[in-house]
Amino acid sequence: MNRKITSMDVAAKAGVSQSAVSRVFTPGSSVSEKMARKVRDAAEELGYRPNVLARSLITGSSRIIGLVVAYLDNPFYADALQKLSEALDQEGYHLLVFMAGNTQGDVDHVIESLMDYQVDGIITASINLSGELAERCARAGIPVVCFNRSVIGEGLSAISSANRAGGAKIAAFLAAGGHQRCAHISGWQGSSTGRERAEGFAEGLSEAGLEVHAQIDGMFDRDTAMNAAQTLMQMSEPPDAIFVGNDHMAMAVMDHLRFVMGLSVPNAVSVVGYDDVPMAAWPSYDLTTLRQPARRMVDATVQEILTRITTPDAPVRRIEIDGPLLVRGSARLPKEAP
Amino acid sequence: MNRKITSMDVAAKAGVSQSAVSRVFTPGSSVSEKMARKVRDAAEELGYRPNVLARSLITGSSRIIGLVVAYLDNPFYADALQKLSEALDQEGYHLLVFMAGNTQGDVDHVIESLMDYQVDGIITASINLSGELAERCARAGIPVVCFNRSVIGEGLSAISSANRAGGAKIAAFLAAGGHQRCAHISGWQGSSTGRERAEGFAEGLSEAGLEVHAQIDGMFDRDTAMNAAQTLMQMSEPPDAIFVGNDHMAMAVMDHLRFVMGLSVPNAVSVVGYDDVPMAAWPSYDLTTLRQPARRMVDATVQEILTRITTPDAPVRRIEIDGPLLVRGSARLPKEAP
DNA sequence: GGTCAGACTGCATAGGTATGCAACCGGAAT
DNA sequence: ATTCCGGTTGCATACCTATGCAGTCTGACC
């Protein structure tokens, strides 16, 4: 209702100039102890706080980071969002959230809006960025960091887990468990994440003298993954192990195998996931999976975006973070060495 | 790298005044067809887009809504966040996200930061707001809407489900199922949500000639809920039904009962939840639960915040949205009428 | 006491846009 | 032809803060 309190109001009340007030609220400025106290008192009394928007108009820094994300029903991303927000808060930045499907027009539109807000940086999660768009951001001087998804072409930093190595680890584990027919319900093959895990899995199997028994794209979608599981198990030679491209789908697959098809996991078929979302540890699933260390990925993402903001021509980095295989009960174990 | 494109640049290129450019990008302004075309062409060519921050400095409207949320590991809130973002995007608003614990200092701090960004409105989810803070927002003219949590005192709009009625529905259902000893692992009793559901449950039971067999606060936390389940089942007269204050905890309780205590659900004990998160429908849980209609709650929230923004002295409203009981397999069913 | 360095402080302006006001234009009505 | 009016346009200013520059003040040192 009543007008906004401005630095001028505080200046008047404290009997000083507006610049003085500004300086008191700008860390690193030269102000005397006495002045600082006078101003702080007046500000306190009036309930003054600097206007971030007006400030950013001058400094050119809005302290807003745009986050573009496709799914939030996958708890891995919900968790990442929470951790990102907390980590950035620590540094005085905050997240402006945009949901985007993975269609090109959608993403384009979102990035445009994002730039309208003069964001200091952009983090994309589970999003494919066109090279052209990346180019525009670069020209506008806005750093972009891809979380858990890399992008075609150069110019963007990307943080992901070591997907290829992870896929290979899983392959080795299944092979050691004596599985003969290892199938893969992959993550969306239009994503680097989905492709790399599949490639790593194939390489790992071939290293063990096996090959991928069958592979179907699960599109990161529960229903699609369930259908894939159905198809796989109806093959003339059904698999004895299925590596599913992420936990979200893996749990759907387990549900389908157990409750629709009446198959025992892991006795009839082993299931392994990827991500280690919290639910994977719940006893109903007890899912063997490869952990993506969300905490470390988030920390790396935050650090990367901050350096790119403060040092615009820092080199673009691609960081892969290694994660351990968490052996639980959804896949047959390797035999102990005798 | 290269300077930002401003309305002045466009004006120069199009050979018109800066005001003209501004008007072209301000819906509802008076501009001739010819002028609009000239300006749009120039803008297109230069890649100009209005600076939202500078604009908001004048209009006093940032088109940013602050969202304060405590948990994102409860998928109900992750889902709500996604739906909120999409619905607001539709109206040209966007969400600035803040995580806050439920400690007072935490929330205070967050709201202060929020106001620094000159947000047009605040949505709190699963957060308790102090009356004093509410007062400050009101004085600053910033409307606040509480999502799924009401607040002590007046002054704030609140959208929630009909928690009391929901609790009562569950009580009636359990009573009809012939349960004799109905216990409650409640939501956090420091929250209106948790309290109202508990009260409704008690009222519903008493209506059926029963009373609450035992009640323990689950604090909306998985581990606390599991401990509560353990305690309940070790009573000299253990319950034959447990209403758990939300799905998130209910699934933990089911896991604990089944896998740690070796009890069958629903044969040994019935379990009912609240929320109907997507996972509740998954066959591993097949959880009987009361649906909170997220979509409708979000729509109501968006509409409420928008009217409060455009009409500052619109009356504060408390909206309760009714949801159906979804009968699945985690609780013994009422006998068919003979 | 005079000088000088250094620490503060105020003045004036910039940053990008929206908007009240006055000027302008064309056309219709008289 | 004159008047008047509605529709457009440009000018100037406001929104709120940060910062370069120049001026002031303090204290120390010779």
Side-chain angles (χ1 to χ4, degrees), chain B residues 7 18-19 22 48 55 58:
Chain B
S7 56
Q18 179 269 329
S19 350
S22 168
Y48 168 78
R55 169 180 290 176
I58 287 218

Side-chain angles (χ1 to χ4, degrees), chain A residues 76-333:
Chain A
F76 178 75
Y77 289 110
D79 185 50
L81 165 49
Q82 169 163 356
K83 289 190 166 65
L84 271 174
S85 171
E86 289 167 347
L88 285 171
D89 191 7
Q90 211 70 17
E91 306 285 342
Y93 286 84
H94 292 279
L95 279 180
L96 197 65
V97 177
F98 290 74
M99 304 295 311
N102 248 322
T103 69
Q104 198 51 56
D106 222 13
V107 176
D108 280 21
H109 173 73
V110 160
I111 301 274
E112 305 251 286
S113 313
L114 221 30
M115 298 179 66
D116 293 352
Y117 280 98
Q118 314 293 116
V119 296
D120 290 346
I122 298 179
I123 297 175
T124 68
S126 65
I127 290 282
N128 289 327
L129 224 48
S130 76
E132 181 216 351
L133 216 46
E135 175 60 26
R136 284 196 51 181
C137 294
R139 254 186 307 136
I142 303 180
V144 178
V145 176
C146 300
F147 179 83
N148 205 28
R149 189 73 55 93
S150 62
V151 71
I152 303 85
E154 308 295 317
L156 302 189
S157 297
I159 316 289
S160 64
S161 70
N163 291 307
R164 203 169 261 111
K169 267 186 210 174
I170 291 169
F173 172 76
L174 290 176
H179 298 91
Q180 295 298 320
R181 296 179 305 283
C182 301
H184 182 31
I185 298 177
S186 72
W188 179 39
Q189 290 295 293
S191 72
S192 62
T193 312
R195 277 197 312 274
E196 289 170 10
R197 289 174 194 173
E199 289 163 15
F201 185 60
E203 289 163 16
L205 283 181
S206 105
E207 205 127 312
L210 297 173
E211 55 184 18
V212 180
H213 185 63
Q215 174 170 336
I216 303 182
D217 192 334
M219 306 291 289
F220 289 133
D221 175 71
R222 275 181 63 87
D223 290 333
T224 312
M226 287 191 190
N227 288 337
Q230 178 81 29
T231 305
L232 286 179
M233 298 312 290
Q234 286 175 339
M235 292 170 61
S236 56
E237 291 212 318
D240 56 2
I242 305 177
F243 162 41
V244 189
N246 72 0
D247 287 356
H248 191 58
M249 293 189 295
M251 289 183 289
V253 167
M254 284 179 75
D255 280 346
H256 189 81
L257 293 174
R258 285 173 169 170
F259 296 99
V260 178
M261 304 190 71
L263 297 172
S264 159
V265 176
N267 293 338
V269 54
S270 291
V271 173
V272 178
Y274 203 111
D275 275 353
D276 189 35
V277 299
M279 287 162 51
W282 296 1
S284 289
Y285 294 99
D286 196 33
L287 178 65
T288 293
T289 187
L290 200 128
R291 159 172 288 163
Q292 291 208 92
R295 159 102 288 139
R296 281 160 59 209
M297 289 174 64
V298 164
D299 289 346
T301 303
V302 169
Q303 189 188 325
E304 177 67 9
I305 194 98
L306 291 182
T307 51
R308 297 289 309 280
I309 288 173
T310 53
T311 320
D313 28 49
V316 166
R317 305 203 307 160
R318 308 247 170 162
I319 301 177
E320 291 204 341
I321 294 186
D322 207 25
L325 179 70
L326 298 187
V327 178
R328 300 205 181 93
S330 67
R332 195 198 314 154
L333 301 181

Side-chain angles (χ1 to χ4, degrees), chain B:
Chain B
M1 304 306 132
N2 36 11
R3 274 200 326 87
K4 284 259 185 329
I5 311 285
T6 79
S7 56
M8 301 274 252
D9 300 330
V10 178
K13 171 140 199 153
V16 301
S17 74
Q18 179 269 329
S19 350
V21 177
S22 168
R23 275 189 264 262
V24 170
F25 285 93
T26 306
S29 285
S30 144
V31 235
S32 72
E33 195 49 47
K34 198 177 53 180
M35 159 107 333
R37 199 172 29 252
K38 258 196 309 188
V39 170
R40 277 188 208 292
D41 286 353
E44 179 87 13
E45 203 162 331
L46 293 175
Y48 168 78
R49 313 210 73 211
N51 180 329
V52 175
L53 267 38
R55 169 180 290 176
S56 66
L57 197 50
I58 287 218
T59 62
S61 158
S62 60
R63 310 208 70 95
I64 298 178
I65 304 280
L67 174 70
V68 190
V69 61
Y71 330 97
L72 234 43
D73 45 354
N74 180 342
F76 179 75
Y77 290 110
D79 183 50
L81 165 50
Q82 169 164 357
K83 289 190 165 65
L84 271 174
S85 171
E86 289 167 349
L88 284 171
D89 191 7
Q90 210 71 15
E91 306 285 342
Y93 286 85
H94 293 279
L95 280 180
L96 196 65
V97 177
F98 290 74
M99 304 296 310
N102 247 320
T103 69
Q104 199 51 57
D106 222 12
V107 176
D108 281 22
H109 173 74
V110 160
I111 300 274
E112 306 249 287
S113 313
L114 221 30
M115 298 178 67
D116 294 351
Y117 280 98
Q118 313 294 114
V119 296
D120 289 346
I122 298 178
I123 297 176
T124 68
S126 67
I127 290 281
N128 289 327
L129 224 48
S130 76
E132 181 217 350
L133 216 44
E135 174 60 26
R136 283 196 52 181
C137 294
R139 255 185 307 138
I142 302 180
V144 178
V145 176
C146 300
F147 179 83
N148 204 28
R149 189 71 56 93
S150 62
V151 72
I152 303 85
E154 308 296 317
L156 301 191
S157 297
I159 315 289
S160 63
S161 71
N163 290 308
R164 203 170 259 110
K169 267 187 209 172
I170 290 169
F173 172 76
L174 289 177
H179 297 90
Q180 295 298 320
R181 296 179 306 283
C182 301
H184 182 32
I185 298 177
S186 72
W188 179 38
Q189 291 295 292
S191 72
S192 60
T193 313
R195 278 198 311 275
E196 289 170 10
R197 289 175 193 171
E199 289 164 15
F201 185 60
E203 288 163 16
L205 283 182
S206 106
E207 206 129 309
L210 297 172
E211 54 185 20
V212 180
H213 185 63
Q215 174 170 336
I216 303 182
D217 192 333
M219 305 292 288
F220 290 132
D221 174 71
R222 274 182 64 87
D223 289 332
T224 312
M226 287 190 187
N227 288 336
Q230 178 82 28
T231 306
L232 286 178
M233 298 314 289
Q234 285 177 340
M235 293 169 63
S236 54
E237 292 210 317
D240 56 1
I242 305 177
F243 162 40
V244 189
N246 71 2
D247 287 355
H248 190 58
M249 293 190 294
M251 289 183 290
V253 167
M254 284 179 74
D255 280 346
H256 190 82
L257 293 174
R258 285 174 169 168
F259 296 98
V260 178
M261 305 190 72
L263 297 171
S264 159
V265 176
N267 292 338
V269 55
S270 291
V271 174
V272 178
Y274 203 108
D275 274 352
D276 190 35
V277 298
M279 287 163 49
W282 296 2
S284 289
Y285 294 99
D286 195 33
L287 179 65
T288 293
T289 187
L290 200 126
R291 160 172 289 164
Q292 290 209 92
R295 159 102 287 140
R296 281 161 57 209
M297 288 174 64
V298 163
D299 288 347
T301 302
V302 169
Q303 188 187 327
E304 177 68 9
I305 193 99
L306 291 182
T307 49
R308 297 289 308 281
I309 288 173
T310 53
T311 320
D313 29 49
V316 166
R317 306 204 306 162
R318 308 251 169 157
I319 301 177
E320 290 204 342
I321 295 185
D322 208 24
L325 180 69
L326 298 188
V327 178
R328 300 205 181 93
S330 67
R332 196 198 314 155
L333 301 180
K335 299 183 183 40
E336 298 288 337

